[in-house]
Amino acid sequence: MRYRHLPNLIALFLACHTSAQNTVPPSTLHVPYISPDGFAIASDSADYRHFRQGLRWEQPIVDTDTTTAHYRQVWVEDLHGGFAMITRGDGSVMAHRADRIIGWSEVIPFRLADGRRGLAVAHETPCGLICRTTQFYLEE
């Protein structure tokens, strides 16, 4: 009688401290969804597609690249519950060192076809579906 509520308490504890999804590898940061991508302006669709086609993921070099670089935000990709809303970045500047971790976000380096370096800063919110915000920054 005394331990009747113990399984319920264990289940409640596990539900509060676990995630329904694993971290997503960089190559699948943008996957097909139920709805088409939403864009604030129609011309953004072609510009974003061109940006994504030239994007190549790189491995982070933590120990050797310790110089601080400045990156400017160019795209923000909000994926929540099967819907995607993609907007141009606000142009804010982020100073980043390769050996620094940015809060709860995953930082994934990439390179564009024209040789420019960039960072994808992805933050996932635990939920039943994909709930991710990815901000793309290009080196100045």
Side-chain angles (χ1 to χ4, degrees):
M1 188 75 150
R2 185 174 167 172
Y3 297 104
R4 190 172 78 171
H5 298 292
L6 185 60
N8 292 338
L9 289 174
I10 291 172
L12 180 63
F13 177 76
L14 289 175
C16 293
H17 295 286
T18 58
S19 177
Q21 60 202 29
N22 293 329
T23 56
V24 179
S27 60
T28 60
L29 267 179
H30 187 74
V31 295
Y33 290 93
I34 298 167
S35 69
D37 296 339
F39 292 93
I41 302 169
S43 64
D44 286 354
S45 174
D47 293 343
Y48 180 74
R49 186 171 313 273
H50 180 72
F51 171 78
R52 288 297 293 210
Q53 286 175 345
L55 192 138
R56 302 291 177 255
W57 301 107
E58 290 188 337
Q59 296 296 325
I61 304 171
V62 178
D63 296 333
T64 58
D65 189 10
T66 58
T67 59
T68 302
H70 294 282
Y71 293 86
R72 186 168 301 276
Q73 186 184 60
V74 291
W75 291 102
V76 178
E77 185 180 90
D78 287 317
L79 311 173
H80 294 283
F83 297 98
M85 183 63 189
I86 299 162
T87 57
R88 287 193 182 270
D90 60 5
S92 59
V93 176
M94 173 183 71
H96 177 70
R97 284 180 53 145
D99 59 349
R100 187 184 76 166
I101 297 172
I102 301 176
W104 295 97
S105 300
E106 184 177 0
V107 179
I108 306 159
F110 64 87
R111 191 172 292 269
L112 290 179
D114 61 4
R116 293 183 292 172
R117 294 190 317 171
L119 296 174
V121 180
H123 174 72
E124 292 200 37
T125 305
C127 69
L129 298 170
I130 294 177
C131 299
R132 182 186 323 116
T133 301
T134 307
Q135 301 173 9
F136 293 96
Y137 292 87
L138 284 179
E139 189 175 32
E140 290 188 318

